[in-house]
Structures are given as C-alpha cells and as structure tokens.
Amino acid sequence: MTSTVVLAKLPTPLGDLVSQITLDGSTELGKTEKDKVEVAEWLNKIAQGDDLDSLLLSRTYLVGNYLTAADTALYGALHSVYSQLQAPQYFSYPALTRFFDHIQSRPQVRKAASALSPAFSVVTFDLENTPKAERKADPPKKKEKAIASNVSEEASSVPVTPRVKKGKEASAPAPAVEKSGKIAGGAAKVPKKEKKEKEKKTQEGTVDTGKKKAAGGNSSSSAADEGAGEPVPSMIDLRVGHIVDIEKHPDADSLYVEQIDFGEETGPRTVVSGLVNYIPIEEMRDRLLVGVCNLKPASMRGVKSFAMVLCATSKDGKEGGIELIRPPPDSKPGDKVYFEGPDFEDATPLSQLNPKKKIFETIQPGFTTLETKEAAWINPVTRSVHRIRTKNGVCAAPTLVGASLS
C-alpha cells in the first residue's frame, strides 16, 4: 500500500496537515524505495491508532534520519492529547514528549500548522522542570537450566528473557529486542526454576504434596494483584481538598507549591501544580478542589508532589482557559469523590496507581465537562455517562463546557 493511498485514510484535519506539508515539497514520502515502504507502514499504523510509545526510545525520526510525512502524521495524531496534558503526565512519557516537541518545532511543520490554525497550535512544555532521570545499573543476567524433554538429560544454560504478556497482564517488563528490531523470546518459553518440596507420606502410603501451599496460596495475593485487570475509573482515588497555603515555587516561575488538606490525620499534603500562567494565585487561595490522591509522588524541581489538582482545560487548548474542578457546596476536606453507576460507586480505589500500567492515562481521555459544566467520565465503548460527584452533589467547572479533565 502506497503512502498516497494511506494518506486518504487519515482523519481531518490530520490528513490535511500531512497532505499540505507533503504537497509543497517540504517533507519527504521517502528518499529511497525502502524508505517509501517504511513511511507507508508508519502512516498505516498511525491511521489505525497503534501503540507507538516504546518504538520512539531510540529514534529522532520514524524513518531514516530526516523528517518524513510519517513524523508529521504522528505529531498531528498526538496533538489533541498533548494539548490537554499537564506536566506530571507528559513527564511520564519522556521519549514521546521529546519526539512531539522536536517535530512541532520544525519550520516546515509550523508553516503547515499555521495554515490550519488553531487546530495544531504550539503546545508549551515546562521542560526546565523535567524530573531527573533515575538511571540504575542493569542487574547481572541470570542463567537457568533448560529442560530438554525426550532428547537428553543434559541441560543447557540459556539467558532468561522476559515473557511477553498480553491483555490484562500487559504491565510486565518489556521484552528483549534483537539487533533486527524484532522481539526476542516471543515464542520460546523459559523454564521456571522448580522448587523442591519435601514429600510427606501418610499412614495409607499416599504422598502429601504441597498441601500447605494450597491452603495458604492466597495469603499474600491481595497486595500483589492490586490493580490487576482493565483500568476503570474507580481505581482513581479522588477526594475533596482545601488549599490552606500556596506560594510560587522558589526555582520555577510556572509552578505553584500548595499545602492541601485532604482530611488526613497526617496533615496537609504538598502538591506542585503548573498553573501559574493560567490561574491567578488569588483564585487559588483558600479554595476547595478535587485532588487525585493515589498517584506516585513525583519531584518537580526539587519539591516532591503528593497529589494532583484536577482541572478542566478548554476544548480549544490551554490558551482557551484552565479552571479548577469544584466540589459541590457543603463539601469538606477528605470527602470521597466517586463516579456514578453501580459498577463504581461502592468500589475502593487503589492505594497507589502503578505508573507502568498507565491507569490514569488510559482513563483520562474519557474525562470531560458536560453541557451543564458537570464533570463526568464517558465510557469510550458504551458511551455511558458517569458524573463525578460526592454525597452532596456533582462536581463541576465554573464555565467550561466540553473541557478535558486532567
């Protein structure tokens, strides 16, 4: 399938952006026949919405070492998502964020995007506050004996390769990658190290094997299995909070450092929010809000943040306005905020969201404000609407309709 055919499959205005930047000759569909085939493959992946995050770790451009229509298409496909993200979210995708910011800065991309304004306006990133990457030395590779059935009793040592899991087990470590770029170990199974259990004979002469294991097999599974299954909104711990103190970050002009009371005995939590350029400090002081309280704490320019303020961002992007989601009247710090519906109302949120499973990022695209300005989550499959509320009423944005929540 040629690039020209695939371009026709891209939705508007993404197809318009890629077509314009290609037709004026400023972007390649591929300099060689091999590159042209690869560009067409990338365009097809983007049109189908494939997961491309891990593929960008070692790439500046998708094909070769120059800008192609595939890069422009991926930038355009990501734009609607990135225009809604706040710092803690895009910091968790360093490779994807780097790629997006690089492509949007290319002169030929900006020229084409300007002609389609405001569809592809510049997305500003708080790069000066990027958390320092934690680099850890790789653990020494272990070797285990492989079982050769019906061939020989002599075992050979093979390197352990992480098993590729699918579906609900997708949070497993990333598989090894061969020099060719293909995933290694996808078909081969690595034998598990067998535990030797002492067998105990009963009076009847039968063997009592592993009864203790069967009896206590679930004793520690609740903690290990927390967060298993498909991401659902009720995994997110939303609570009413009260800003008891706020000041600008001493080392970052775009960040606030808030002390927010979530009704906990341990006292207020420190929360860092990138809202200086969008909400005046006077409108933040003494304000009741909704906070996401089970994100993994993250350091932002030397200050650790222990929650995230839930905000509504205009459907026109950050330039159109950002507002705090407000809980209903008579709310108090610590009030539970939940999603309407029998599947969610009585559910218990996770103690902490695992960043590797991207639970919040998976659910977040369904967050919005309705025509009534009420905050809600819309199920992307069933299109059912689940308003975000407390026992006293529904949470809402002051003025924004059709806004994204993050």
Side-chain angles (χ1 to χ4, degrees):
M1 184 177 294
T2 65
S3 299
T4 306
V5 174
V6 181
L7 283 175
K9 298 170 61 177
L10 297 174
T12 303
L14 175 57
D16 297 335
L17 174 69
V18 181
S19 296
Q20 180 170 337
I21 198 171
T22 303
L23 292 174
D24 68 7
S26 59
T27 302
E28 298 275 359
L29 284 173
K31 293 181 179 180
T32 66
E33 289 303 317
K34 179 181 177 182
D35 285 359
K36 289 178 181 179
V37 171
E38 194 171 352
V39 168
E41 290 175 349
W42 276 105
L43 289 173
N44 196 45
K45 289 180 181 180
I46 295 163
Q48 293 176 355
D50 287 4
D51 180 11
L52 308 172
D53 183 42
S54 61
L55 299 176
L56 293 170
L57 289 174
S58 60
R59 295 174 183 259
T60 300
Y61 298 105
L62 298 181
V63 178
N65 59 357
Y66 58 98
L67 184 72
T68 68
D71 301 302
T72 309
L74 181 53
Y75 154 74
L78 293 171
H79 189 278
S80 61
V81 176
Y82 264 90
S83 62
Q84 308 297 328
L85 297 183
Q86 293 191 26
Q89 295 166 312
Y90 59 72
F91 282 155
S92 64
Y93 299 96
L96 207 58
T97 301
R98 169 191 54 75
F99 173 85
F100 181 92
D101 193 41
H102 174 63
I103 300 303
Q104 77 165 352
S105 303
R106 304 303 297 163
Q108 53 268 60
V109 175
R110 290 269 41 89
K111 180 181 177 181
S114 298
L116 300 171
S117 180
F120 298 101
S121 57
V122 176
V123 177
T124 303
F125 296 103
D126 185 20
L127 298 180
E128 65 176 10
N129 297 315
T130 303
K132 293 183 178 179
E134 296 183 6
R135 302 186 182 277
K136 298 180 180 180
D138 293 334
K141 292 183 179 180
K142 296 180 180 180
K143 293 189 176 181
E144 299 181 356
K145 292 184 178 180
I147 302 174
S149 113
N150 300 325
V151 178
S152 172
E153 295 182 357
E154 183 179 355
S156 60
S157 297
V158 295
V160 178
T161 304
R163 182 167 64 90
V164 180
K165 296 185 179 180
K166 298 182 179 179
K168 296 182 179 180
E169 297 180 315
S171 61
V177 180
E178 298 175 348
K179 290 183 180 179
S180 63
K182 296 181 180 180
I183 296 175
K189 293 184 179 180
V190 178
K192 296 181 179 179
K193 188 176 182 181
E194 298 179 353
K195 295 182 179 179
K196 293 183 179 179
E197 296 184 1
K198 190 174 182 179
E199 298 182 349
K200 184 178 180 181
K201 293 187 177 181
T202 61
Q203 292 180 351
E204 292 78 15
T206 59
V207 179
D208 181 12
T209 59
K211 285 188 177 180
K212 290 184 180 179
K213 182 179 180 181
N218 295 325
S219 61
S220 61
S221 62
S222 59
D225 293 342
E226 187 181 42
E230 295 296 329
V232 293
S234 53
M235 291 179 175
I236 301 173
D237 184 5
L238 298 178
R239 301 184 214 166
V240 173
H242 174 219
I243 299 178
V244 295
D245 188 33
I246 183 172
E247 59 185 13
K248 287 188 177 181
H249 194 296
D251 298 320
D253 294 337
S254 62
L255 301 179
Y256 286 131
V257 179
E258 306 119 6
Q259 299 299 319
I260 302 180
D261 177 14
F262 287 107
E264 298 169 307
E265 294 181 0
T266 53
R269 296 191 186 195
T270 299
V271 180
V272 182
S273 304
L275 298 173
V276 171
N277 298 325
Y278 306 101
I279 303 178
I281 195 168
E282 292 76 16
E283 296 181 17
M284 297 283 289
R285 285 196 176 99
D286 202 34
R287 179 70 64 188
L288 283 175
L289 48 74
V290 176
V292 182
C293 295
N294 60 343
L295 296 173
K296 184 177 180 180
S299 293
M300 301 179 68
R301 289 300 291 267
V303 178
K304 184 165 284 190
S305 181
F306 294 89
M308 186 180 79
V309 175
L310 189 65
C311 293
T313 301
S314 169
K315 58 185 177 182
D316 297 323
K318 293 181 180 180
E319 295 78 7
I322 296 179
E323 298 176 343
L324 297 177
I325 291 297
R326 296 181 181 178
D330 301 324
S331 295
K332 297 179 181 178
D335 282 355
K336 179 182 178 182
V337 179
Y338 57 91
F339 299 83
E340 288 182 336
D343 293 335
F344 307 133
E345 292 183 0
D346 297 324
T348 301
L350 302 182
S351 58
Q352 186 176 99
L353 299 179
N354 186 340
K356 294 181 180 179
K357 295 187 177 182
K358 296 181 172 59
I359 294 173
F360 185 86
E361 292 81 2
T362 300
I363 297 167
Q364 187 272 333
F367 285 149
T368 189
T369 53
L370 309 175
E371 292 293 330
T372 57
K373 307 179 188 68
E374 294 174 319
W377 178 73
I378 299 179
N379 189 315
V381 178
T382 65
R383 307 308 297 172
S384 58
V385 177
H386 304 270
R387 296 187 300 175
I388 300 173
R389 60 173 301 133
T390 72
K391 60 183 180 181
N392 296 319
V394 181
C395 304
T399 66
L400 296 176
V401 174
S404 172
L405 307 185
S406 58

